[in-house]
Amino acid sequence: MRKLKDKVAVVTGAAGGIGRATALSLADAGCALALVDVDEVGLAATARSVEAKGQAVSAHVVSVADRAQMLALPAEVIAAHGAVHVLVNNAGVNMMTPFTEMALDDFDWVLGIDLMGVVHGCKAFLPHLLAADAAHIVNVSSMAALVGMPTQSAYCAAKAAVRAFSESLYTELGQTRVGVSCVMPGTTRTNILANGRASDPALHARLVGLMSRYAPGPERVARAIVRAIRQEEAQVMVCPDAHALAGLQRGSPALVRTALRWLGGRVG
């Protein structure tokens, strides 16, 4: 999908982080934006930034985990913009708790947003994307889709499922005008960890501090998302640690499992 000017893009999780950076990058490319999030204040701030770039924008306070809200969303977007061409399923949450200590409600919370939010977005918008002259779906997964990380069972399960789901969509939609990309960022400087749930507050705080100091900003992922849309890339790794992990996993999966098991013995 080479041309983005005058297209309409829907971005979930747009109140901050990768979602906000992606919305602004798409606005720079000439897109009108439909912004989706549960954070009304953050959503309004992103909308103001899009407006400052001269692009039409609408804000939709919707939970991606709520099937009814998501199935009603396309009608709101069409009413505001008249069409939809790009869908970026980005909304996500994180939880750091060993599975043995995790409540099943917390597991459902992660899967409801990180996996079912993607499924809901695709199911709701696909009829409109298929009717467009050209369209594209971006599902944001994670490097956590590649391995099972300690204290991250729900997150890893959800992101691995997003990766597999995206590959299935890619094959099913191959004869249509709808492209599909799965973007897998590494550690990125966003609030997903800070706003997540954790069983070890001290470890959680240390990791949040490290992320804020050393992780690349969300703009790097946003640029990769826009590039994936333009070049119709099926799978994209972003950030140095994601590339490193993917390389290690290909070259020595046993070593990766051993290292993660060792780490699990110290944080579990």
Side-chain angles (χ1 to χ4, degrees), residues 34 58-62 68-69 71-82 125:
S58 60
H60 308 266
V61 181
V62 168
Q69 289 185 12
L71 292 178
L73 180 60
E76 297 179 18
V77 174
I78 298 298
H81 300 281
F125 282 98

Side-chain angles (χ1 to χ4, degrees), residues 109-128:
W109 174 67
V110 175
L111 264 63
I113 296 169
D114 290 6
L115 172 57
M116 293 311 299
V118 172
V119 174
H120 292 157
C122 291
K123 193 66 173 179
F125 282 98
L126 253 175
H128 304 279

Side-chain angles (χ1 to χ4, degrees), residues 117-197:
V118 172
V119 174
H120 292 157
C122 291
K123 193 66 173 179
F125 282 98
L126 253 175
H128 304 279
L129 298 172
L130 287 165
D133 291 337
H136 203 92
I137 296 169
V138 176
N139 294 330
V140 178
S141 177
S142 167
M143 70 175 184
L146 303 178
V147 297
M149 298 179 179
T151 76
Q152 300 278 311
S153 58
Y155 186 73
C156 290
K159 293 303 186 178
V162 168
R163 180 189 181 193
F165 173 68
S166 300
E167 290 176 353
S168 291
L169 271 188
Y170 178 85
T171 58
E172 290 182 14
L173 298 176
Q175 304 305 311
T176 74
R177 293 185 293 269
V178 181
V180 179
S181 298
C182 180
V183 174
M184 294 187 287
T187 309
T188 309
R189 193 170 62 251
T190 72
N191 287 327
I192 187 170
L193 193 60
N195 293 338
R197 301 176 184 177

